[in-house]
């Protein structure tokens, strides 16, 4: 009985002493920055990359109507393995805030939805560049690059970019 009881008691004590998770206030996150991309980076990059659309009137239609936009893929070209739908959703939400577009889930090559064809297509990628600053410090630069193209002509209608720069220990991995 001692052989079973002692390991069981040790497991209960270790589990009971483990630190409890902490809820993070996303609007006032005082947690440490990380070398990897996190939710703060997605939201800031989407806001920054789409700033010129809001400020310059890029999607102001002459007749006052709204553009129909299909949000396509955002490709992850970084060394990290993360799902791009989180970033795509942040971009879509930020794009809708300008009030000048409507988003459709129908791709431009779908002929089944007459009248709902997108006029513009938003796509993008996130790339990464690592720089060794000193023997103990490195810098990782991530770039969110977005393109808004005319669905018919395939000409670039607008481009936006937002860098995300992180500095940390050379021993820290990005993921």
């Amino acid at each position: 009985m001692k052989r079973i009881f002692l390991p069981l008691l040790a497991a209960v004590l270790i589990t009971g002493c483990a630190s409890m998770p902490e809820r993070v206030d996303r609007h006032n996150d005082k947690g440490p920055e990380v070398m990897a991309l996190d939710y703060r980076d997605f939201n800031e990059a989407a806001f920054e990359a789409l700033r010129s659309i809001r400020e310059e009137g890029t999607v102001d239609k002459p007749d006052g109507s709204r553009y129909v936009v299909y949000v396509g893929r955002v490709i992850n070209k970084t060394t990290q393995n993360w799902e791009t739908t989180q970033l795509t959703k942040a971009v879509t939400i930020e794009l809708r805030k300008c009030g000048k577009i409507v988003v459709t889930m129908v791709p431009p090559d779908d002929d089944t939805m007459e009248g709902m064809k997108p006029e513009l297509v938003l796509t993008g990628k996130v790339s990464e560049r690592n720089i060794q600053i000193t023997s103990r410090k490195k810098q990782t630069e991530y770039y969110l690059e977005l393109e808004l193209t005319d669905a018919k002509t395939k000409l670039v209608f607008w481009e936006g970019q937002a860098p995300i720069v992180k500095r940390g220990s050379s021993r820290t991995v990005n993921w």
Side-chain angles (χ1 to χ4, degrees):
M1 174 121 166
K2 279 186 179 180
R3 280 193 237 173
I4 295 172
F5 181 71
L6 289 176
L8 183 61
L9 179 63
V12 168
L13 289 174
I14 290 170
T15 305
C17 296
S19 65
M20 296 300 291
E22 173 185 339
R23 184 153 183 94
V24 175
D25 177 0
R26 293 179 298 105
H27 305 290
N28 190 26
D29 189 352
K30 303 266 193 256
E33 284 288 329
V34 294
M35 290 299 286
L37 292 168
D38 68 9
Y39 75 93
R40 294 173 282 198
D41 299 319
F42 289 160
N43 294 338
E44 286 177 26
F47 180 82
E48 185 64 33
L50 294 168
R51 176 186 307 258
S52 68
I53 278 186
R54 292 185 307 277
E55 293 176 355
E56 297 169 9
T58 305
V59 289
D60 291 350
K61 264 187 150 176
D63 66 2
S65 64
R66 299 189 294 175
Y67 280 106
V68 178
V69 178
Y70 173 73
V71 178
R73 287 189 47 178
V74 175
I75 300 168
N76 177 6
K77 307 265 288 174
T78 70
T79 58
Q80 298 174 45
N81 185 21
W82 50 272
E83 179 58 49
T84 61
T85 54
Q86 295 169 344
L87 178 58
T88 304
K89 182 56 78 177
V91 166
T92 302
I93 289 168
E94 200 57 46
L95 187 60
R96 284 184 180 163
K97 285 181 183 179
C98 75
K100 307 289 181 160
I101 62 105
V102 291
V103 174
T104 181
M105 303 310 283
V106 179
D109 55 358
D110 187 341
D111 293 328
T112 62
M113 299 293 288
E114 199 59 42
M116 292 301 295
K117 288 265 191 204
E119 299 163 274
L120 303 172
V121 177
L122 183 74
T123 57
K125 72 177 179 179
V126 179
S127 57
E128 173 183 337
R129 181 172 175 232
N130 292 297
I131 302 165
Q132 195 69 38
I133 297 173
T134 67
S135 61
R136 293 184 177 169
K137 195 171 218 167
K138 74 174 180 179
Q139 177 169 302
T140 301
E141 300 171 352
Y142 301 97
Y143 296 93
L144 169 60
E145 299 169 355
L146 299 173
E147 285 186 349
L148 193 60
T149 58
D150 185 295
K152 289 180 185 170
T153 66
K154 308 297 187 239
L155 296 174
V156 176
F157 190 78
W158 168 87
E159 290 180 286
Q161 181 184 53
I164 303 164
V165 181
K166 310 253 184 157
R167 285 193 193 108
S169 167
S170 293
R171 291 181 269 159
T172 305
V173 294
N174 294 357
W175 39 268

